[in-house]
Amino acid sequence: MKKIQSLCNYCAIDCNLDFYVDEEKNRIVSVKPTPGYPVNDGFCCIKGISLDKQQTVVKKPHTPRVKMEDGSYQYPGWDYTFDLIAKKFREIQEKYGNEALAGISTGQLTMEEFAINGHILRDHLKTNVDGNTRLCMASAVVAHKQSYGFDAPGYTLKDLELSDTIILIGANPVVAHPIVWDRIKKNKNKKLIVIDPRRSETAKNADYHYPIKTKTDSTLFYGLANYFIEQDWIDHDFIEAHTNKFAEYKEFVKDFPLEKVSEVTNLSMEQLHELIDLIHNGERVSMWWTMGINQSHNAVRAAQSIINLQLLLGNYGKPGTGANSITGQCNAMGSRLFSNQASLYGHDFAAPAARAKVANIFKCDEEVLAKGPTKPYNAIIEGINNGTIKALWILCTNPRHSWTNNETFQQAMDKLEFYVVQDIYDDIESMGECDVFLPAVPGIKKEGTYINLERRLSRLVPVLKKDPDEKDDYEIMYGIAKALGLQDIIDNWKTQEDCFNLMRACSKGRPFDFTGVSYKGLEFSHGVQWPLPEGTKLEEDERRLYADGKFWTPDQKAIFQFEPVPENPMPQTEEFPFIFNTGRGTVGQWHTQSRTREVQFVEGVSSNHPYCFIHTSVAEKLGLQHEDWVTIYSCNGQNADFAIRVTDDVQPDEIWAPIHYQECNKLTPSVYDPYSKEPSYKSAVVRLEVKGAK
Ligand SMILES: Nc1nc2c(c(=O)[nH]1)N[C@H]1C(S)=C(S)[C@@H](COP(=O)(O)OP(=O)(O)OC[C@H]3O[C@@H](n4cnc5c(=O)[nH]c(N)nc54)[C@H](O)[C@@H]3O)O[C@H]1N2
Ligand SMILES: Nc1nc2c(c(=O)[nH]1)N[C@H]1C(S)=C(S)[C@@H](COP(=O)(O)OP(=O)(O)OC[C@H]3O[C@@H](n4cnc5c(=O)[nH]c(N)nc54)[C@H](O)[C@@H]3O)O[C@H]1N2
Ligand code: SF4
Ligand SMILES: [Mo]
């Protein structure tokens, strides 16, 4: 039996796991979390331990399914399909213009897969490809860039163990990040504070829970800033040496006295003072946020209001501190750097030196490189629906389920002239009547690198061998590049390791410089957090940024970013009195459930129909009980049926629905943060009507 250390490619923790494999039968016999790995040290969750359930996945044949000219579906082989895709992409671009083709990618592929996909679509084919990271991390990315000058989350997971005051804002790690939760639990000397409208699983296990009114977080943090400034409880030395625009911020937050904050946030004056004392008396205060902040009409500014408070308090670069954004998908951090969507492989698209450097590394003409960021996800879907985009290639994402206001994705699917789906399953909701289905092998048969939430690069090592007719995502993309005749890719991007080396060269001299890391060296290792420039010795397994107080802006100072709080575009009204809050339901369920439905244990305990939680008082008023059915009507004009669960854990005017059922996003709106264009998934307003037993 062979032991192979690889990683779990679900959530952003990137746990390392030891797979015990019967090589003769090419079967995984057991999976154990890797002892001593600095992230998850011998512990993991049900999703990772169940990765052996993905041994078969796409049923035979393992070759592409193509809709032929006569309308029949056939399996004409990989080479035929690659040629067909190349021909169709070229034809559509020639007929309607380059941007008539678009791609939607993901935060769940390897760094090498993002890189080659971006180089094909954004550089060579001169068009747009956005990722589902837009639905997830875009707000944190923009907040970091504007405040720090670069998208560089500074913490390491050990900070959870070193902090004496941990504040979780719109984050539910008991369900969504079990390792974050495990590490919080290991910290015996802390106070745990949760700010969440809902009494989430994490809030129930916290020392303090502040049930804030949905989407009023920026008002809360502006008010806290004002109070700390008034009391002169701030770190003048840090502010002076390491920040810009303090005087303006001080003026701005004067508009947020605690009485007003209390009114807006629904938190009492006693609660606000208690929270203030907790922060003031903490020695090592850390703040962590996730989707409760990122998914909003005012997300970037809300994230920055947290950053601003930590800047005021000088809580940067020291053990157990920081304004820390928790990432969602296994390689969202890799996608942010290397997908070529928001930056030129980690550089400014417009910087001449950067363009010359990247072109030189890729051995391509500078003109080939994309000139600016991609069009965002919503513009791609709108482009299809208004007839300007005619062809779409989606990979490793399931937007018919996960996209906000998801009926608009169905409309888009119906309009496309050419639609390619690349997935490990041939029955996801987004398949529709796609023209080409490209079956990729799952992570346990792939190789490449991932970057976790604390900037740690680690290796995905093939655990099982592929069948001769199976291909992984990288090979599929390389095959398409070859059919398109993209010579620099054909010559220089042959393997994942080639691509890794190109990206490593791109990283030189940048904040994420990992020229000191090698592809082979990452195998069976502890992983390495960026940066690690060539020639530096790795002294510590768990490192944080900003110890020197230097950021990535031209004068190396962080910037207070703020703005008057915008009106809520979806106010509660008589017609729509409830707030529709959405998120992760259980530890075992992953997003659209294409993968976790295979885990019998999870399937066995999960509801097979959509459900939502409503407050006891509402249920009583309507005479409803557990598992009765309601119809929910949303401000987006759609409605859907849900079974109800009755609880006191939601606010009386809140409905909470897990995202694992397609009906959930039938009701979410086409409303976005103005800077990040991330959807406001958690605050549609709705009404409910009794449906009766089903
Ligand atoms: N089991 C499981 N784990 C996962 C995933 C999964 O699908 N299943 N997905 C992964 C991914 S990609 C991501 S992005 C993460 C997401 O991880 P989380 O963000 O922790 O999970 P969510 O449930 O989306 O939302 C967190 C909380 O935000 C709260 N919230 C809503 N609105 C507000 C608000 O206005 N203010 C505040 N303060 N809080 C608010 C919600 O009530 C919810 O409890 O999880 C990752 N982990
Ligand atoms: N209402 C609401 N909606 C939300 C959210 C919310 O909080 N509320 N959260 C949003 C967030 S944060 C996220 S990240 C998105 C997630 O949304 P999606 O990315 O659409 O969800 P997944 O189910 O993770 O889809 C991944 C797909 O990739 C396939 N896949 C898995 N591994 C591989 C592989 O190696 N190769 C290929 N080619 N395919 C593979 C799976 O079978 C699956 O179909 O949902 C968003 N939607
Ligand atoms: S889903 Fe996340 S916490 Fe669970 S095993 Fe995988 S990486 Fe670890
Ligand atoms: Mo996410």
Side-chain angles (χ1 to χ4, degrees):
M1 190 122 48
K2 196 170 173 190
K3 182 176 94 175
I4 299 172
Q5 182 186 330
S6 187
L7 59 77
C8 168
N9 63 343
Y10 278 105
C11 91
I13 302 284
D14 293 0
C15 287
N16 268 42
L17 306 167
D18 293 338
F19 292 86
Y20 291 85
V21 180
D22 180 336
E23 284 187 285
E24 216 166 283
K25 295 198 179 115
N26 201 30
R27 300 291 296 170
I28 299 169
V29 178
S30 66
V31 188
K32 298 203 168 78
T34 308
Y37 191 71
V39 173
N40 61 306
D41 187 14
F43 180 66
C44 78
C45 82
I46 176 90
K47 299 188 286 304
I49 208 86
S50 309
L51 276 170
D52 58 337
K53 307 296 178 297
Q54 262 154 17
Q55 309 206 42
T56 41
V57 185
V58 178
K59 315 280 173 293
K60 285 188 174 173
H62 301 307
T63 51
R65 199 190 71 182
V66 176
K67 193 180 192 177
M68 308 303 274
E69 267 175 22
D70 63 3
S72 67
Y73 289 98
Q74 313 236 351
Y75 295 84
W78 285 106
D79 289 338
Y80 176 95
T81 310
F82 292 151
D83 287 339
L84 175 79
I85 291 173
K87 184 171 138 258
K88 284 283 190 184
F89 282 1
R90 294 281 194 212
E91 268 174 17
I92 283 178
Q93 290 196 306
E94 264 156 42
K95 193 163 164 199
Y96 304 106
N98 287 342
E99 295 190 28
L101 164 68
I104 296 178
S105 156
T106 176
Q108 295 175 53
L109 291 175
T110 65
M111 170 173 108
E112 295 75 14
E113 290 159 355
F114 296 133
I116 191 170
N117 183 251
H119 193 38
I120 295 171
L121 284 170
R122 302 234 51 237
D123 293 336
H124 282 288
L125 298 187
K126 309 248 162 286
T127 191
N128 299 293
V129 45
D130 202 16
N132 63 5
T133 25
R134 180 76 61 181
L135 321 182
C136 179
M137 298 314 303
S139 300
V141 172
V142 177
H144 291 157
K145 278 191 186 167
Q146 291 181 351
S147 297
Y148 307 153
F150 194 76
D151 177 24
Y155 63 93
T156 187
L157 285 169
K158 195 165 184 62
D159 286 317
L160 291 163
E161 288 155 21
L162 299 175
S163 183
D164 64 12
T165 310
I166 301 176
I167 309 183
L168 300 173
I169 310 143
N172 187 16
V174 167
V175 167
H177 294 97
I179 299 299
V180 166
W181 181 244
D182 182 54
R183 296 192 68 158
I184 290 175
K185 274 199 316 189
K186 283 195 178 124
N187 179 344
K188 301 286 176 223
N189 302 310
K190 49 88 187 30
K191 295 195 168 89
L192 179 64
I193 298 151
V194 170
I195 301 176
D196 191 315
R198 201 169 62 92
R199 198 184 304 137
S200 66
E201 292 76 358
T202 308
K204 281 183 204 166
N205 287 289
D207 301 307
Y208 303 86
H209 171 218
Y210 298 108
I212 192 170
K213 173 89 188 167
T214 304
K215 303 305 155 216
T216 63
D217 302 80
S218 62
T219 298
L220 171 65
F221 282 89
Y222 292 151
L224 296 181
N226 180 51
Y227 191 84
F228 277 88
I229 294 170
E230 277 180 357
Q231 302 299 315
D232 202 17
W233 288 345
I234 56 177
D235 186 337
H236 290 283
D237 292 343
F238 184 89
I239 295 169
E240 176 63 30
H242 303 300
T243 70
N244 275 321
K245 283 177 64 180
F246 169 64
E248 293 91 326
Y249 194 50
K250 185 177 165 184
E251 266 316 292
F252 168 77
V253 293
K254 281 188 181 151
D255 217 17
F256 296 86
L258 285 191
E259 294 72 21
K260 176 169 157 186
V261 173
S262 170
E263 208 174 291
V264 173
T265 60
N266 275 0
L267 299 176
S268 68
M269 288 299 279
E270 291 71 32
Q271 285 174 311
L272 291 175
H273 278 292
E274 184 184 57
L275 175 60
I276 287 166
D277 288 346
L278 284 164
I279 298 173
H280 180 52
N281 295 328
E283 300 252 313
R284 296 181 304 280
V285 180
S286 60
M287 301 185 186
W288 309 75
W289 83 83
T290 318
M291 292 308 126
I293 293 293
N294 283 356
Q295 297 171 338
S296 148
H297 65 278
N298 182 33
V300 171
R301 293 291 178 253
Q304 287 167 332
S305 70
I306 302 169
I307 291 175
N308 293 349
L309 184 58
Q310 290 293 60
L311 289 173
L312 284 178
L313 302 175
N315 281 333
Y316 270 85
K318 292 180 265 183
T321 65
N324 305 323
S325 141
I326 305 176
T327 308
Q329 302 171 84
C330 45
N331 201 11
M333 287 288 289
S335 157
R336 282 148 75 165
L337 284 175
F338 295 112
S339 62
N340 201 18
Q341 290 158 6
S343 73
L344 184 66
Y345 307 96
H347 307 72
D348 184 349
F349 283 105
R355 301 185 68 76
K357 169 184 161 185
V358 175
N360 188 35
I361 293 167
F362 289 5
K363 297 193 178 60
C364 71
D365 200 283
E366 252 178 74
E367 273 308 299
V368 169
L369 301 176
K371 297 217 161 64
T374 188
K375 274 194 184 144
Y377 205 126
N378 64 309
I380 292 176
I381 308 306
E382 284 155 21
I384 301 170
N385 281 327
N386 70 27
T388 51
I389 297 176
K390 305 284 187 186
L392 182 70
W393 175 13
I394 66 165
L395 54 156
C396 198
T397 187
N398 189 6
R400 176 64 185 89
H401 180 140
S402 60
W403 176 237
T404 195
N405 201 357
N406 65 19
E407 290 293 316
T408 60
F409 192 82
Q410 180 64 51
Q411 288 156 17
M413 282 161 60
D414 295 342
K415 282 199 122 179
L416 287 165
E417 278 184 26
F418 189 61
Y419 180 35
V420 180
V421 177
Q422 179 169 330
D423 205 280
I424 58 174
Y425 293 101
D426 61 6
D427 59 353
I428 59 167
E429 290 105 325
S430 306
M431 287 285 287
E433 292 175 7
C434 68
D435 298 280
V436 177
F437 166 63
L438 296 166
V441 293
I444 45 174
K445 293 187 175 178
K446 298 207 299 192
E447 68 173 280
T449 40
Y450 279 73
I451 308 180
N452 84 347
L453 73 177
E454 41 149 27
R455 311 177 315 284
R456 187 179 303 273
L457 283 97
S458 70
R459 267 297 305 276
L460 185 73
V461 178
V463 172
L464 298 180
K465 287 185 212 66
K466 298 192 289 268
D467 283 356
D469 59 350
E470 286 184 321
K471 288 199 190 296
D472 63 38
D473 291 285
Y474 193 88
E475 290 170 320
I476 294 171
M477 290 186 257
Y478 185 80
I480 292 172
K482 218 166 147 185
L484 285 160
L486 310 179
Q487 204 55 49
D488 71 288
I489 300 186
I490 298 171
D491 295 341
N492 306 320
W493 298 58
K494 291 196 181 84
T495 64
Q496 284 91 337
E497 187 169 358
D498 292 342
C499 179
F500 175 89
N501 288 333
L502 296 171
M503 294 308 120
R504 186 175 63 167
C506 286
S507 79
K508 195 178 170 69
R510 299 296 295 152
F512 56 98
D513 191 332
F514 62 89
T515 44
V517 181
S518 80
Y519 190 70
K520 294 249 159 48
L522 276 178
E523 258 183 50
F524 309 108
S525 74
H526 280 185
V528 181
Q529 288 171 293
W530 62 254
L532 190 75
E534 215 164 4
T536 0
K537 204 164 160 265
L538 190 60
E539 306 272 356
E540 267 182 290
D541 246 353
E542 299 184 81
R543 296 175 296 144
R544 74 185 63 77
L545 303 177
Y546 306 127
D548 56 3
K550 289 188 176 143
F551 295 87
W552 315 100
T553 51
D555 64 1
Q556 299 192 311
K557 292 182 177 185
I559 306 168
F560 287 96
Q561 300 281 5
F562 52 91
E563 181 173 35
V565 179
E567 291 251 322
N568 185 342
M570 293 175 287
Q572 286 163 280
T573 58
E574 250 173 61
E575 189 186 4
F576 298 116
F578 293 97
I579 293 167
F580 189 65
N581 184 5
T582 66
R584 279 79 200 152
T586 64
V587 176
Q589 290 171 292
W590 181 256
H591 298 150
T592 71
Q593 290 205 94
S594 56
R595 294 173 78 188
T596 43
R597 67 186 159 166
E598 290 224 59
V599 184
Q600 277 318 305
F601 178 78
V602 172
E603 269 295 274
V605 297
S606 303
S607 167
N608 62 6
H609 54 255
Y611 63 97
C612 66
F613 289 91
I614 65 170
H615 193 262
T616 316
S617 61
V618 177
E620 274 169 8
K621 203 167 136 205
L622 296 173
L624 290 170
Q625 300 190 347
H626 273 290
E627 287 297 312
D628 281 348
W629 282 77
V630 295
T631 306
I632 300 184
Y633 293 82
S634 166
C635 59
N636 75 353
Q638 300 286 349
N639 67 76
D641 294 347
F642 292 77
I644 58 144
R645 308 234 164 131
V646 182
T647 177
D648 287 343
D649 295 335
V650 297
Q651 308 268 350
D653 65 349
E654 181 189 24
I655 295 172
W656 163 255
I659 59 175
H660 313 295
Y661 306 87
Q662 197 180 333
E663 288 78 357
C664 175
N665 276 326
K666 191 172 180 198
L667 303 185
T668 48
S670 299
V671 171
Y672 313 95
D673 175 272
Y675 302 101
S676 68
K677 299 290 175 202
E678 178 158 341
S680 185
Y681 275 122
K682 288 177 160 41
S683 56
V685 289
V686 300
R687 74 167 180 277
L688 59 84
E689 284 178 15
V690 179
K691 174 105 184 149
K694 214 174 192 183

